[in-house]
């Protein structure tokens, strides 16, 4: 019985650590592209970061809850993380679809407004459109990769939540 509890604790700690590490790596990569690559995020990109901002500390909480053998609480946290990433994957698909012109993006960031020129020329504020992908890798934009990573993290967290002694 004690060995089963130890094994379950180890499995839940491992899942929590993987979710923590991958989520942290992903959000740091997004910030690196922004800071060092010059890729400014659109409003949808910023919304897609919320799941990572929740999951990183939540996975840490889940790790220590599993270590303390509070399995019910650990599973609850992992379910919440899985749901957050599942919703984020859907948002990433929506965003990528807007970039591919499968459907319109939100009017607030899809360029649904006109820029007015001031007396002194060009407006200094850049307009970052949600319906234009500034970068692609293997055919996917930032939004597309977010959907893939979020779906993967949702599956990993759900796997952990489903673990039993």
């Amino acid at each position: 019985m004690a060995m089963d509890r130890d094994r379950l604790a180890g499995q839940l700690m491992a899942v929590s650590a993987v979710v923590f590490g991958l989520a942290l790596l992903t959000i740091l990569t997004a910030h690196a592209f922004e800071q060092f690559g010059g890729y400014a995020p659109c409003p949808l990109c910023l919304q897609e970061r919320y799941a990572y901002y929740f999951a990183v500390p939540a996975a840490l909480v889940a790790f220590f809850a599993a270590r303390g053998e509070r399995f019910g609480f650990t599973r609850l946290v992992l379910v919440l993380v899985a749901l957050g990433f599942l919703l984020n994957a859907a948002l990433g698909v929506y965003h990528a679809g807007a970039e591919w012109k499968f459907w319109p993006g939100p009017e607030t960031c899809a360029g649904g407004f006109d820029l007015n020129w001031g007396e002194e020329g060009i407006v200094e504020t850049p307009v970052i459109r949600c319906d234009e992908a500034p970068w692609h890798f293997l055919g996917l934009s930032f939004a597309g990769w977010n959907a893939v990573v979020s779906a993967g993290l949702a599956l990993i967290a759900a796997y952990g939540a489903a673990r039993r002694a």
Side-chain angles (χ1 to χ4, degrees):
M1 184 70 172
M3 236 154 91
D4 287 342
R5 291 182 65 80
D6 288 345
R7 193 182 78 194
L8 179 59
Q11 290 173 346
L12 291 174
M13 288 168 58
V15 166
S16 299
V18 167
V19 170
F20 172 82
L22 291 176
L24 183 62
L25 178 65
T26 302
I27 197 64
L28 290 177
T29 300
H31 283 287
F33 270 99
E34 181 181 342
Q35 294 299 317
F36 305 116
Y39 292 98
C42 73
L44 274 179
C45 293
L46 294 174
Q47 287 178 344
E48 290 170 43
R49 293 179 182 184
Y50 295 162
Y52 297 95
Y53 295 146
F54 169 73
V56 169
L60 201 57
V61 166
F63 178 89
F64 286 108
R67 186 169 184 231
E69 296 187 356
R70 296 183 58 206
F71 301 132
F73 181 71
T74 303
R75 285 188 194 100
L76 174 64
V77 172
L78 289 174
V79 164
L80 293 174
V81 168
L83 288 173
F85 277 123
L86 189 61
L87 293 171
N88 203 49
L91 183 60
V93 168
Y94 167 72
H95 189 179
E99 291 172 342
W100 285 99
K101 310 295 188 241
F102 293 151
W103 43 74
E107 287 191 27
T108 56
C109 66
F113 56 89
D114 294 320
L115 284 178
N116 294 320
W117 292 86
E119 290 182 24
E120 297 176 10
I122 298 175
V123 177
E124 292 291 324
T125 306
V127 175
I128 308 301
R129 296 174 54 115
C130 293
D131 63 350
E132 290 181 2
W135 176 89
H136 285 90
F137 178 69
L138 299 177
L140 293 177
S141 65
F142 289 121
W145 281 110
N146 173 60
V148 170
V149 171
S150 290
L153 286 168
L155 287 173
I156 293 168
Y159 169 81
R163 302 305 306 155
R164 299 284 185 253

